[in-house]
Amino acid sequence: MRPPFRLFPDDLVDLQEAWLRTYAALADAPSEDGATALRRRLIVLSCRLHAHPHWTAPTGWRDGGVELRRAARRRAGQGERQAA
């Protein structure tokens, strides 16, 4: 059985991982210390995620955003365990 993140193209999972990291950094950022740049990065990443060609594929709509976020978290977690 394929790992869940293999249901999505690698570049799409990479984008989602970057979005999750940026969102976490924004949540941890002091009120205005770099927060504007992080918000702008989230907007750019959100646009790239939304416009990715995967969603226009005939089966793309079935592979929803929730599963993409889960796959990105799983892949990031596997990478952390392998690095340890």
Side-chain angles (χ1 to χ4, degrees), residues 45-62:
L45 290 169
S46 295
C47 291
R48 289 181 183 167
L49 281 165
H50 180 74
H52 192 278
H54 173 76
W55 305 120
T56 61
T59 60
W61 65 271
R62 289 186 224 147

Side-chain angles (χ1 to χ4, degrees), residues 3-72:
F5 56 82
R6 290 290 173 210
L7 298 174
F8 301 98
D10 286 337
D11 63 325
L12 183 57
V13 179
D14 291 342
L15 277 171
Q16 183 63 56
E17 284 180 348
W19 191 96
L20 290 168
R21 282 191 307 272
T22 305
Y23 187 85
L26 181 59
D28 291 340
S31 58
E32 285 302 316
D33 198 25
T36 300
L38 290 170
R39 284 194 295 270
R40 287 180 181 152
R41 177 142 173 80
L42 273 179
I43 292 168
V44 168
L45 290 169
S46 295
C47 291
R48 289 181 183 167
L49 281 165
H50 180 74
H52 192 278
H54 173 76
W55 305 120
T56 61
T59 60
W61 65 271
R62 289 186 224 147
D63 298 335
V66 172
E67 280 304 312
L68 174 61
R69 285 185 290 281
R70 287 178 184 158

